[in-house]
Amino acid sequence: MNHEAGRRSKIVLVGFMGTGKSTVSRLLAEQLGYARFDTDEEIERSQGKRVAELFAEIGEAGFRDLESGMIQELLSRKEPAIIATGGGAVLRESNREAMLGGSLVVALKASAEQIIARVQSDSSRPLLQGDVAANVNRIMEQRKHAYDFAHLVLDTTSLNVHAVCATILQTRETK
């Protein structure tokens, strides 16, 4: 394996909830023949509990500790992989640095209206309990620059999953 291919053997998807990270990660993994990991799914599997339960039991800070550990573990694996992260994974500097250290980091964005439409009926999102629209707008404002560190920032509002994947693969060839 040449240096460039090894350096980009992982693609990490970051972005606010509802921007398409899980959907895009599935198609990218299929197209590239890579393993696919979703940090939230991996945490649930390792802890035997849903993310919402973990938030309730150990709080957001405790969950972020689990998330950081999982990100480190997934990035350290040798196999090529697509890694979809939770929306708040970028809040820790150590996570951002780890992601940038050898992976292509892609931030997916979408309009608040599109995100609300995508997540409003999903009761498994602990940060959205109550007024979904107000919570989405508040958290988006808090995190408006949190994803700017990525190699590629891609607005998925009006793109289908195939267009998003094509853009990521094209960028991967040139970065």
Side-chain angles (χ1 to χ4, degrees), residues 42-117:
E42 295 300 313
I43 291 166
E44 288 180 345
R45 186 176 358 270
S46 72
Q47 300 299 307
K49 296 179 181 176
R50 308 278 303 153
V51 168
E53 292 174 274
L54 291 166
F55 260 76
E57 289 177 15
I58 61 175
E60 184 173 358
F63 178 79
R64 297 293 173 214
D65 290 341
L66 291 174
E67 184 175 58
S68 293
M70 185 57 67
I71 289 168
Q72 291 290 341
E73 178 186 327
L74 294 173
L75 289 172
S76 70
R77 293 182 182 180
K78 299 229 183 298
E79 66 190 311
I82 308 300
I83 302 170
T85 64
V90 301
L91 299 177
R92 289 192 175 173
E93 177 75 21
S94 60
N95 290 347
R96 295 190 302 271
E97 289 174 2
M99 291 175 203
L100 288 170
S103 302
L104 174 65
V105 182
V106 179
L108 302 183
K109 291 192 171 186
S111 69
E113 296 76 24
Q114 184 71 273
I115 289 170
I116 292 163

Side-chain angles (χ1 to χ4, degrees), residues 13-16 19-21 24 106-110 147 152-156 164 168:
L13 301 176
V14 299
F16 197 77
T19 55
K21 298 180 303 287
V24 169
V106 179
L108 302 183
K109 291 192 171 186
Y147 308 103
L152 171 66
V153 177
L154 193 53
D155 190 331
T156 66
V164 172
I168 292 169

